[in-house]
Amino acid sequence: MRVFVGIQFSSALKDDLEAYQAKLADWSEKGRLTRKENFHLTLCFIGEISETDYVQLFKQLSEKLAKTDRFSLLGGECGYFIKKNRYIPWVGVLSTADLLAVFKKVEAVIKEMGLAVEDRPYTPHVTMARQVVLLDEEKWCHQPVAFNECVSQVTLFQSHQVDGQLAYTPLNHILLNKQKS
């Protein structure tokens, strides 16, 4: 199965992101918008993994994150990646100390298991669309997106096709502590 570790958003935040995504549609010529139910924050992409490795991954992540406190996920500015002359617009997430600490714990488990990790700096973001032709990238990039989402769990997702559409299905959740320790 193809998996990644991430943060699942509340319905309210997904609604807010979808409303903001409508602006992107106005500022672009074409592209594939991310479906609302797929909005999330990726911590680490893993890719194909065996069932045995998945069980071990969940166990080790649960242990590593056992004493991790809940934290706030804060919206940032928009940006984009370019792939094959097309834009991948995203909404930025602030790289707070709490978020980076969780990212490092997740990455450490993946490395300890001998699984591959991406060899590029972590850029926390929410992908809004793919294969986009932006009409005005400056308009998109200077848009702050304010949100404050309480992160109470880390989620293991499966990335797969359902009825011909990309779907990110939550498989397991790792609950974070309710109060600062």
Side-chain angles (χ1 to χ4, degrees), residues 9-180:
F9 295 152
S10 66
S11 295
L13 179 53
K14 288 181 180 183
D15 288 345
D16 290 347
L17 290 169
E18 183 181 47
Y20 193 74
Q21 189 182 51
K23 291 182 182 181
L24 174 62
D26 291 341
W27 297 332
S28 59
E29 196 171 283
K30 61 181 179 177
R32 288 190 347 250
L33 296 178
T34 300
R35 293 184 355 211
K36 175 182 165 181
E37 57 269 21
N38 282 348
F39 288 142
H40 69 280
L41 176 67
T42 299
L43 291 168
C44 285
F45 179 77
I46 297 166
E48 289 297 327
I49 189 172
S50 70
E51 184 69 32
T52 303
D53 282 345
Y54 176 81
V55 170
Q56 187 65 24
L57 175 66
F58 177 63
K59 179 178 182 273
Q60 288 189 26
L61 283 172
S62 297
E63 291 170 4
K64 187 73 120 181
L65 295 171
K67 294 182 181 176
T68 303
D69 294 323
R70 294 178 180 192
F71 64 96
S72 291
L73 198 65
L74 304 173
E77 289 194 351
C78 295
Y80 57 82
F81 302 118
I82 297 178
K83 186 175 181 179
K84 298 182 182 176
N85 295 326
R86 297 291 169 103
Y87 292 90
I88 302 171
W90 44 261
V91 167
V93 175
L94 295 181
S95 295
T96 62
D98 289 333
L99 174 60
L100 293 178
V102 170
F103 163 73
K104 287 176 184 172
K105 288 178 183 181
V106 171
E107 184 181 52
V109 166
I110 293 168
K111 285 180 178 178
E112 288 164 10
M113 289 186 61
L115 301 171
V117 292
E118 294 180 307
D119 186 27
R120 59 181 174 198
Y122 182 54
T123 305
H125 67 279
V126 182
T127 301
M128 301 305 289
R130 290 180 171 78
Q131 299 180 358
V132 172
V133 175
L134 278 174
L135 299 174
D136 188 345
E137 61 262 2
E138 285 301 310
K139 250 187 192 176
W140 175 252
C141 285
H142 294 292
Q143 296 297 314
V145 179
F147 63 81
N148 185 341
E149 175 92 335
C150 176
V151 177
S152 61
Q153 63 190 11
V154 171
T155 302
L156 281 154
F157 290 90
Q158 180 180 12
S159 173
H160 58 127
Q161 295 283 321
V162 175
D163 297 328
Q165 292 193 341
L166 181 61
Y168 302 137
T169 303
L171 298 173
N172 291 101
H173 304 288
I174 300 158
L175 298 179
L176 303 179
N177 292 330
K178 291 182 181 178
Q179 298 178 12
K180 292 280 184 194

